[in-house]
Amino acid sequence: MQTDSSFTFVLFGGTGDLSMRKILPALYEAHRAGMLEASGKIIAVARHEEDRGGYLQWVNEHVKAHVSKNGIDENAWSSFLERIEYVKLDLGKAEDFVKLRDAMQDLPGTRVFYLATGPSLFVPICRALASVGLNENARIVLEKPLGYDLRSSNAINDAVGEIFAEGQIYRIDHYLGKEPVQNLLALRFGNALFEPLWRREWVESIQITIAEELGVEARGDFYDNTGALRDMVQNHLLQLLSIVAMEPPHSMDSDSVRDEKLRVLRALKPIDPRDIGKVAVRGQYHAGVIRGASVPAYATEPGVKTDSATETFVALKVEIENWRWAGVPFFLRTGKRLADRVAEIVVNFRAVPHSALGSSALRPGANRLVIRLQPNETIRLYCLAKKPGEGMNLSSVHLDLAFDQFFKEGQMEAYQRLLLDVIHGRLALFVRRDEQEAAWKWVEPILNEWAASGKPKPYAAGTWGPAAASAMLAQHDTCWLEEEN
């Protein structure tokens, strides 16, 4: 299906890892599916001394491996490459931005500037674009992390906001583009079955986990100055929490959705620094074994200080102080070098108040909803049923919604959906500035307390993190999902 939205997509950091692994593959998939206006152009920008032919050769070598399991359609790939131009640009040279402006002068439609660069370059790029008049009829996409703390985040937002209006700024969080997250909204607000149960009277607890098997890879310098709380909790996990806990918006327009998310973030119970030891666990991986292979300790990774106190694991107990969720614990967890790669939301419903069918109907977790975001995107509802045979013996069964099996249409990757939303001017799945500020305000007391305290708790690579994370849940008579299984 062709759109009527002409565009020029300018990709800063056009030779970088993010561009090769995510952005260009997503644009190719949209092109192959006929979802991009035929006249739309892509201009890659980088410092490399390349002409267009050299850049296209680079794309051929580095992008094809990251295209979806459907593989490459050579005809579609060839026509996709015809969209791409390349501009060598030095951020310190004003004349290079004049060159970029001239390259865009006769191109129609909306201008999209995607900043797949470090956050230190956001403000210089925006100012340089404005200096040559490229901030008009334009949208700017900012990758995380947006700052190091509330102060630095505000400084970037203030500077970018002087050049682009809030409605032009797209702060991207790719977890919000994942299909199950979108389906969570559909399940909650499109079905009478779930919405009456989605509250403190019927929900015992909620877990949100983003676990990685990988370590810091080649990002040691960056990660050692960031840590898991900034890298994952302040954005991804709190955004998922706000989607899970938000009130029904009056419509699905961008500000209605984001207003409700903001209310959740502002309702997060502030963490008293004196209680951080009870509700927050930080860890750092030591050497261990993952899938039969030995992996090194975090402190020996390239770019990491040998005496580093940076956390690679975080587990938190979070409370929301509003009518719907008062008293319901939300457990958030993320970490590197864990036992498995998984991202999921687990909604544990309360047990029935009385059972004539035996104690199994009263156990926690008998009814739960598991929303798997990765690696396979599924939604699974657990309930109890009678086992075949004599007697009333109950067993856990589940109903599955596996998107790749149920829907004949191919799934859209998160970046593909979000890039199309930018091109079409849809802001609902992007983070508004006041959301970001609320998240930083909540996280900062934890950051400050950890900066003043000792080192993180050790955990062996290939495990599920420090034992303290399990002990925190045990205080609430529950456990992480994989521990129950």
Side-chain angles (χ1 to χ4, degrees):
M1 179 183 67
Q2 293 289 344
T3 72
D4 58 358
S5 301
S6 188
F7 66 93
T8 301
F9 189 98
V10 181
L11 179 56
F12 284 88
T15 57
D17 186 57
L18 180 63
S19 297
M20 298 297 110
R21 289 188 303 108
K22 296 294 184 182
I23 301 171
L24 287 173
L27 288 170
Y28 163 73
E29 294 291 356
H31 167 85
R32 177 165 66 173
M35 304 176 82
L36 297 180
E37 170 64 30
S39 62
K41 294 292 184 182
I42 300 167
I43 299 178
V45 173
R47 294 177 299 173
H48 288 233
E49 292 283 354
E50 298 279 4
D51 57 13
R52 180 175 182 270
Y55 181 72
L56 293 184
Q57 183 177 348
W58 178 277
V59 170
N60 264 314
E61 292 173 0
H62 292 86
V63 174
K64 280 187 172 182
H66 300 292
V67 171
S68 76
K69 61 184 178 182
N70 296 323
I72 292 284
D73 178 322
E74 290 298 340
N75 289 332
W77 180 253
S78 178
S79 58
F80 174 67
L81 293 182
E82 291 175 6
R83 292 182 182 271
I84 300 176
E85 301 291 340
Y86 179 75
V87 173
K88 177 187 176 298
L89 190 148
D90 186 332
L91 295 179
K93 295 182 179 179
E95 61 269 25
D96 280 9
F97 280 86
V98 173
K99 184 168 60 176
L100 175 62
R101 181 193 63 191
D102 291 345
M104 299 176 65
Q105 192 150 14
D106 296 327
L107 298 177
T110 301
R111 299 162 176 163
V112 174
F113 297 102
Y114 196 114
L115 274 54
T117 67
S120 62
L121 299 178
F122 291 172
V123 174
I125 290 173
C126 290
R127 286 175 175 163
L129 290 172
S131 72
V132 294
L134 287 178
N135 58 322
E136 302 294 330
N137 188 31
R139 296 165 189 153
I140 190 90
V141 185
L142 304 179
E143 269 285 349
K144 78 167 186 80
L146 201 67
Y148 184 78
D149 51 19
L150 179 60
R151 182 177 178 181
S152 59
S153 175
N154 282 341
I156 293 173
N157 278 317
D158 286 344
V160 174
E162 292 174 0
I163 299 161
F164 295 93
E166 180 64 27
Q168 295 176 278
I169 303 172
Y170 292 70
R171 300 173 189 86
I172 194 167
D173 185 330
H174 72 276
Y175 274 87
L176 297 184
K178 289 182 176 290
E179 197 71 56
V181 176
Q182 302 302 296
N183 258 299
L184 175 58
L185 294 173
L187 282 173
R188 282 196 59 194
F189 305 136
N191 296 284
L193 176 64
F194 288 106
E195 180 55 25
L197 305 179
W198 214 263
R199 58 190 67 249
R200 61 186 177 86
E201 291 88 350
W202 297 107
V203 174
E204 182 77 37
S205 66
I206 294 178
Q207 302 174 17
I208 306 177
T209 294
I210 302 176
E212 299 177 274
E213 287 184 336
L214 294 176
V216 294
E217 304 308 297
R219 300 167 68 234
D221 288 329
F222 160 77
Y223 197 89
D224 207 38
N225 292 300
T226 304
L229 191 63
R230 291 184 178 91
D231 190 43
M232 298 297 291
V233 176
Q234 183 271 332
N235 41 73
H236 297 327
L237 280 168
L238 288 185
Q239 281 293 314
L240 291 177
L241 170 67
S242 67
I243 290 284
V244 170
M246 66 187 277
E247 294 296 318
H250 75 82
S251 74
M252 294 307 292
D253 70 81
S254 59
D255 280 329
S256 295
V257 172
R258 297 190 295 179
D259 285 347
E260 298 304 335
K261 288 164 56 191
L262 177 63
R263 289 189 178 96
V264 173
L265 294 170
R266 287 179 172 172
L268 294 177
K269 182 180 180 180
I271 292 182
D272 189 320
R274 294 170 295 184
D275 295 331
I276 284 177
K278 301 176 185 176
V279 299
V281 177
R282 62 170 174 158
Q284 184 184 102
Y285 66 82
H286 287 199
V289 177
I290 296 179
R291 301 192 186 279
S294 297
V295 296
Y298 172 76
T300 65
E301 299 272 20
V304 175
K305 297 184 291 290
T306 55
D307 61 346
S308 174
T310 298
E311 78 283 352
T312 62
F313 175 95
V314 174
L316 300 170
K317 177 202 166 192
V318 179
E319 295 182 62
I320 300 173
E321 297 184 311
N322 65 16
W323 191 270
R324 181 183 291 264
W325 295 113
V328 177
F330 288 72
F331 299 106
L332 311 184
R333 176 178 59 163
T334 186
K336 291 189 174 295
R337 292 293 192 204
L338 297 183
D340 200 3
R341 173 180 174 262
V342 62
E344 64 188 8
I345 300 164
V346 180
V347 181
N348 289 311
F349 295 102
R350 295 188 186 277
V352 296
H354 170 75
S355 174
L357 303 175
S359 60
S360 59
L362 298 173
R363 66 177 177 82
N367 300 140
R368 65 160 53 106
L369 186 68
V370 178
I371 302 156
R372 179 67 64 91
L373 308 179
Q374 66 182 31
N376 53 321
E377 299 183 343
T378 60
I379 295 177
R380 176 172 287 184
L381 177 64
Y382 288 84
C383 54
L384 294 175
K386 178 188 173 297
K387 288 183 179 179
E390 186 179 4
M392 184 57 73
N393 298 310
L394 303 184
S395 179
S396 179
V397 298
H398 52 79
L399 309 173
D400 281 349
L401 171 56
F403 300 106
D404 58 346
Q405 296 177 24
F406 191 85
F407 296 107
K408 294 181 180 179
E409 302 87 349
Q411 286 191 64
M412 190 182 295
E413 294 292 334
Y415 269 96
Q416 182 181 344
R417 172 181 289 104
L418 294 172
L419 294 181
L420 288 170
D421 279 0
V422 177
I423 291 169
H424 296 304
R426 299 187 288 255
L427 278 158
L429 300 182
F430 295 85
V431 181
R432 205 167 58 191
R433 176 173 179 170
D434 49 9
E435 290 181 75
Q436 195 172 64
E437 288 181 358
W440 275 120
K441 286 178 181 177
W442 187 82
V443 161
E444 276 209 327
I446 309 173
L447 285 170
N448 294 337
E449 182 65 19
W450 283 354
S453 61
K455 285 193 172 184
K457 298 180 184 298
Y459 65 95
T463 67
W464 283 102
S470 297
M472 183 172 67
L473 270 69
Q475 294 173 6
H476 296 271
D477 296 320
T478 188
C479 63
W480 299 105
L481 181 60
E482 77 282 347
E483 293 173 336
E484 181 176 302
N485 294 337

